[in-house]
């Protein structure tokens, strides 16, 4: 479009309306692209921030829920420990209490009762395998600590990845009797895994949990459970902030938006995250819909500009066309017909009226003071030069039609100079009738004539000249017979912007017509 504008400027064919429309399209296109970019940036920023906030909020809620669930399990174990402290040597009661603890809720995948030496006394479910002495980490640490204990994840004797939660059992004299504990299987269903695996419907969202040693203890992909995350700069930020939001890169190299929150009871960290590309895709989708909506608006605005540009440029365009024909008789009426509804048009109109008046006065002056050819009444060279200069000043294009009577010397020699003058007057009469009132007819010497056909191109000039040539060759002039003419045509400024070159071209074409057999036109 810029190249087109340059070409129009270079060719001097750039109209005001075209310029207004170009500026309108350029302005609207620039505004559209800027608004599109700004909208995409804002939408992307807002969606990223919203995703971070949602992930943080969800991680905090899940962490809170898991923490409360763990507290509930500890309370249940604490109640069972107090009951067992009074009935530790009653086998039926202890068996019933272990079964009740396992079956009344889905907090544990298995429950065990062990004495102070770690010997397993009772367990549930019944299919649980036990060799009597449990040497797993959970039981050993519980015996060793003799207090409430939540173990880190470890593999049990049955090769399950578990977290062991226990409460110590004391008798009335506060003597340590053993422990009651429950195992949470990290790769199987239970109340904790149900909380951790719940989703809130956010696209491609998932959640996982790290223990204090940065080992994954829960993940939607069960193959990831037990994997330790090492040499990750994002972990340092999590350990420092405890709770927050961040943009991180997964071990698979996926850029993600995450929120994280701690579970106070265990020191675990819940991480809720979503791939960044999903959010950015949403931003692109929103911008796409925004583009479709705003394009319709811009098309409407462009139509309004198109209509306004026509309204603004119309009077100037009319006056510009009039400016090239100030020599026509009804020019003043044409100028007055243009409605000047804004300042520039008003001033332009006044200037054209003054120019038309001045032009008319100069024409009158020419009629009174410029010598004309007394034989034909045509303008002589001096008059012709004034018209040429006026056409050039007003940028009015015109054809130069050079006409020469064929074998005129023979007419003078045969019939005499009086009859030759009669032929000149008759030819001039036909020239005057053949061309328009606004065309300037001149006799430049002897049998040579020049017609300045205003506002025409070479083809139009040729058509007028051909009409004259045919008229003369079919017309008898007294007893002399038909008189033919040879004609050469050039055009200003198409032939050349130099007027001398234009006349030279017309003379050359006239000469070509002569040597081509006469009674013809060359242009």
């Amino acid at each position: 479009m810029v190249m087109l504008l340059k070409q129009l400027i270079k060719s001097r064919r750039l109209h005001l309306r075209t310029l207004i429309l170009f500026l309108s399209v350029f302005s609207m296109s620039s505004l559209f692209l800027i608004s599109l970019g700004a909208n995409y940036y804002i939408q992307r920023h807002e969606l990223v921030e919203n995703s971070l906030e949602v992930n943080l909020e969800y991680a905090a809620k899940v962490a809170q829920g898991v923490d409360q669930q763990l507290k509930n399990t500890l309370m249940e174990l604490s109640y069972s420990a107090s009951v067992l402290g009074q009935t530790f040597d009653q086998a039926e009661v202890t068996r019933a209490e272990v079964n009740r603890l396992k079956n009344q809720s889905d907090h544990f995948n298995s429950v065990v009762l062990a004495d102070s030496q770690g010997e397993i006394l009772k367990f549930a479910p019944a299919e649980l395998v036990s060799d009597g002495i449990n040497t797993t980490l959970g039981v050993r640490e519980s015996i060793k600590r003799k207090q409430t204990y939540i173990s880190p994840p470890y593999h049990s004797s049955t090769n399950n990845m578990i977290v062991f939660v226990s409460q110590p059992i004391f008798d009335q004299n506060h003597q340590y009797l053993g422990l009651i504990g429950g195992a949470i299987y990290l790769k199987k269903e239970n109340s904790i895994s149900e909380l951790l695996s719940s989703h809130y419907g956010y696209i491609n969202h998932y959640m996982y949990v790290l223990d204090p040693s940065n080992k994954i203890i829960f993940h939607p992909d069960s193959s990831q459970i037990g994997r330790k995350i090492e040499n990750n700069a994002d972990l340092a930020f999590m350990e420092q902030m405890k709770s927050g939001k961040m943009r991180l890169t997964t071990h698979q190299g996926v850029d993600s938006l995450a929120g994280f929150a701690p579970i106070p009871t265990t020191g675990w960290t819940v991480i809720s995250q979503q791939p960044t590309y999903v959010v950015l895709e949403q931003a692109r989708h929103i911008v796409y819909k925004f583009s479709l909506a705003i394009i319709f608006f811009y098309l409407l605005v462009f139509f309004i500009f198109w209509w306004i540009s026509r309204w603004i440029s119309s009077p100037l365009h009319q006056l510009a066309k009039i400016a090239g024909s100030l020599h026509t008789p009804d020019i003043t009426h044409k100028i007055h017909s243009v409605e000047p509804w804004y300042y520039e048009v008003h001033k332009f109109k006044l200037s054209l009226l003054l120019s038309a008046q001045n032009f008319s006065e100069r024409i009158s002056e020419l009629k009174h003071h410029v010598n004309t050819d007394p034989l034909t009444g045509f303008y002589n060279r001096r008059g012709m030069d004034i018209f040429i200069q006026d056409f050039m000043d007003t940028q009015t294009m015109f054809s130069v039609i050079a006409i020469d009577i064929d074998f005129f010397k023979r007419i003078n020699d045969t019939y005499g100079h009086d009859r030759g003058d009669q032929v000149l007057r008759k030819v001039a009469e036909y020239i005057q009738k053949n061309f328009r009132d606004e065309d300037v007819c001149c006799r430049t010497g002897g049998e040579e004539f020049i017609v300045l056909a205003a506002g025409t191109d070479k083809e139009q000039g040729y058509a007028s000249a051909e009409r004259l040539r045919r008229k003369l060759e079919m017309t008898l002039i007294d007893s002399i017979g038909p008189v033919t003419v040879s004609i050469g045509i050039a055009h200003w400024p198409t032939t050349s912007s130099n007027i001398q070159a234009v006349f030279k071209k017309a003379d050359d074409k006239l000469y070509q017509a002569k040597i081509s057999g006469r009674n013809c036109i060359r242009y």
Side-chain angles (χ1 to χ4, degrees):
M1 191 169 184
V2 175
M3 292 299 297
L4 177 61
L5 181 63
K6 288 182 178 179
Q7 291 176 0
L8 289 173
I9 293 173
K10 189 175 181 180
S11 63
R12 298 185 179 180
R13 295 179 62 187
L14 180 64
H15 299 292
L16 175 63
R17 188 182 182 193
T18 304
L19 182 60
I20 292 174
L21 290 175
F22 174 81
L23 293 175
S24 301
V25 171
F26 177 78
S27 301
M28 288 190 293
S29 299
S30 300
L31 182 61
F32 175 74
L33 292 175
I34 292 171
S35 61
L36 204 62
N39 182 265
Y40 176 71
Y41 174 80
I42 293 171
Q43 290 290 346
R44 184 180 67 176
H45 178 75
E46 289 297 320
L47 286 171
V48 166
E49 285 299 314
N50 182 64
S51 178
L52 288 170
E53 287 293 338
V54 169
N55 277 293
L56 171 59
E57 180 180 354
Y58 187 64
K61 286 184 177 179
V62 170
Q64 183 181 7
V66 172
D67 188 64
Q68 185 60 51
Q69 193 79 313
L70 289 170
K71 288 179 178 179
N72 291 340
T73 61
L74 290 174
M75 288 178 62
E76 289 183 10
L77 289 172
S78 178
Y79 174 78
S80 293
S82 64
V83 171
L84 292 170
Q86 301 175 6
T87 60
F88 196 76
D89 54 353
Q90 300 177 26
E92 291 300 324
V93 176
T94 55
R95 181 181 297 106
E97 185 61 25
V98 168
N99 288 332
R100 181 194 66 80
L101 192 60
K102 168 64 180 72
N103 296 322
Q104 75 173 1
S105 69
D106 58 355
H107 290 171
F108 304 109
N109 295 97
S110 63
V111 177
V112 298
L113 173 67
D115 63 15
S116 59
Q117 301 303 314
E119 182 180 353
I120 302 300
L121 302 179
K122 298 290 188 296
F123 55 86
E127 61 269 18
L128 184 67
V129 177
S130 173
D131 57 4
I133 300 294
N134 196 312
T135 58
T136 61
L137 174 67
V139 174
R140 289 202 313 272
E141 288 296 316
S142 296
I143 298 296
K144 178 181 178 181
R145 295 169 183 261
K146 297 180 174 58
Q147 61 183 17
T148 300
Y149 177 65
I150 300 177
S151 75
Y154 67 93
H155 286 90
S156 68
S157 58
T158 55
N159 205 30
N160 286 311
M161 177 68 73
I162 70 170
V163 171
F164 189 72
V165 183
S166 67
Q167 288 282 14
I169 302 173
F170 296 97
D171 62 12
Q172 295 178 347
N173 299 319
H174 205 66
Q175 293 295 316
Y176 181 69
L177 300 177
L179 63 93
I180 181 69
I184 300 172
Y185 293 5
L186 298 179
K187 294 185 179 182
K188 294 187 178 182
E189 293 184 2
N190 50 63
S191 61
I192 301 296
S193 65
E194 184 180 347
L195 278 174
L196 292 174
S197 60
S198 59
H199 294 279
Y200 57 88
Y202 213 34
I203 303 173
N204 284 16
H205 158 266
Y206 69 95
M207 185 173 58
Y208 60 99
V209 181
L210 298 178
D211 71 1
S213 64
N214 296 329
K215 185 182 293 185
I216 297 176
I217 62 173
F218 175 82
H219 197 283
D221 180 3
S222 60
S223 65
Q224 295 292 317
I225 296 176
R227 184 176 68 85
K228 187 172 183 179
I229 300 177
E230 297 177 320
N231 302 321
N232 191 314
D234 298 325
L235 292 176
F237 178 77
M238 292 184 189
E239 291 173 359
Q240 178 184 1
M241 299 302 297
K242 304 301 182 185
S243 177
K245 54 188 178 180
M246 64 186 301
R247 192 166 178 170
L248 54 80
T249 302
T250 67
H251 73 285
Q252 297 173 330
V254 178
D255 184 30
S256 301
L257 304 172
F260 56 95
I263 300 175
T265 303
T266 60
W268 299 344
T269 301
V270 177
I271 302 169
S272 172
Q273 67 185 42
Q274 178 189 32
T276 305
Y277 75 84
V278 174
V279 177
L280 299 185
E281 186 62 33
Q282 287 181 297
R284 284 190 287 270
H285 183 66
I286 291 172
V287 170
Y288 173 74
K289 292 194 292 185
F290 169 79
S291 301
L292 293 179
I294 204 170
I295 282 175
F296 174 78
F297 168 76
Y298 277 118
L299 289 176
L300 178 62
V301 172
F302 177 77
F303 174 77
I304 295 172
F305 269 110
W306 177 84
W307 185 82
I308 291 176
S309 68
R310 182 179 180 182
W311 188 39
I312 292 174
S313 64
S314 179
L316 282 175
H317 183 68
Q318 293 179 54
L319 291 176
K321 290 177 64 176
I322 291 172
S325 56
L326 292 178
H327 57 282
T328 56
D330 60 342
I331 189 64
T332 303
H333 174 72
K334 290 181 179 179
I335 296 174
H336 277 297
S337 67
V338 178
E339 187 65 32
W341 62 273
Y342 58 94
Y343 176 77
E344 286 78 7
V345 175
H346 177 70
K347 296 297 291 185
F348 192 11
K349 180 178 178 178
L350 290 179
S351 298
L352 284 182
L353 285 172
L354 291 174
S355 297
Q357 182 181 354
N358 182 52
F359 190 82
S360 177
E361 291 174 354
R362 290 178 65 185
I363 295 296
S364 298
E365 184 181 350
L366 283 174
K367 289 179 179 179
H368 290 87
H369 302 290
V370 177
N371 293 327
T372 59
D373 174 46
L375 181 64
T376 62
F378 282 2
Y379 292 107
N380 58 20
R381 285 187 177 276
R382 182 181 175 186
M384 182 180 70
D385 289 342
I386 294 175
F387 276 98
I388 290 172
Q389 188 60 48
D390 193 74
F391 286 159
M392 293 174 67
D393 290 343
T394 59
Q395 294 292 303
T396 302
M397 65 179 184
F398 60 93
S399 296
V400 176
I401 304 173
I403 305 169
D404 189 272
I405 301 174
D406 296 332
F407 304 112
F408 184 72
K409 185 177 184 302
R410 184 186 301 173
I411 294 173
N412 274 338
D413 292 343
T414 303
Y415 300 100
H417 287 283
D418 289 342
R419 299 296 297 277
D421 289 347
Q422 184 181 357
V423 170
L424 288 173
R425 283 193 293 269
K426 279 292 185 181
V427 171
E429 181 183 340
Y430 282 117
I431 291 173
Q432 186 72 57
K433 289 179 179 178
N434 184 72
F435 289 94
R436 304 168 300 173
D437 292 340
E438 58 264 30
D439 295 333
V440 180
C441 300
C442 310
R443 182 187 176 201
T444 56
E447 69 276 20
E448 298 175 0
F449 298 88
I450 294 288
V451 177
L452 307 177
T456 63
D457 54 26
K458 285 197 294 186
E459 285 73 18
Q460 293 170 323
Y462 172 81
S464 299
E466 177 64 13
R467 188 169 58 247
L468 171 66
R469 188 193 66 77
R470 290 187 177 184
K471 180 68 177 177
L472 287 173
E473 74 175 356
M474 294 186 298
T475 302
L476 297 177
I477 299 178
D478 296 335
S479 60
I480 298 174
V483 175
T484 62
V485 292
S486 297
I487 302 174
I489 303 174
H491 187 270
W492 185 90
T494 305
T495 301
S496 174
S497 60
N498 185 299
I499 192 62
Q500 285 79 17
V502 175
F503 272 86
K504 177 66 168 55
K505 189 72 172 180
D507 286 340
D508 292 343
K509 293 297 181 181
L510 176 60
Y511 177 73
Q512 291 178 19
K514 286 287 187 183
I515 65 176
S516 297
R518 294 181 170 83
N519 191 25
C520 62
I521 301 172
R522 294 292 182 267
Y523 70 104

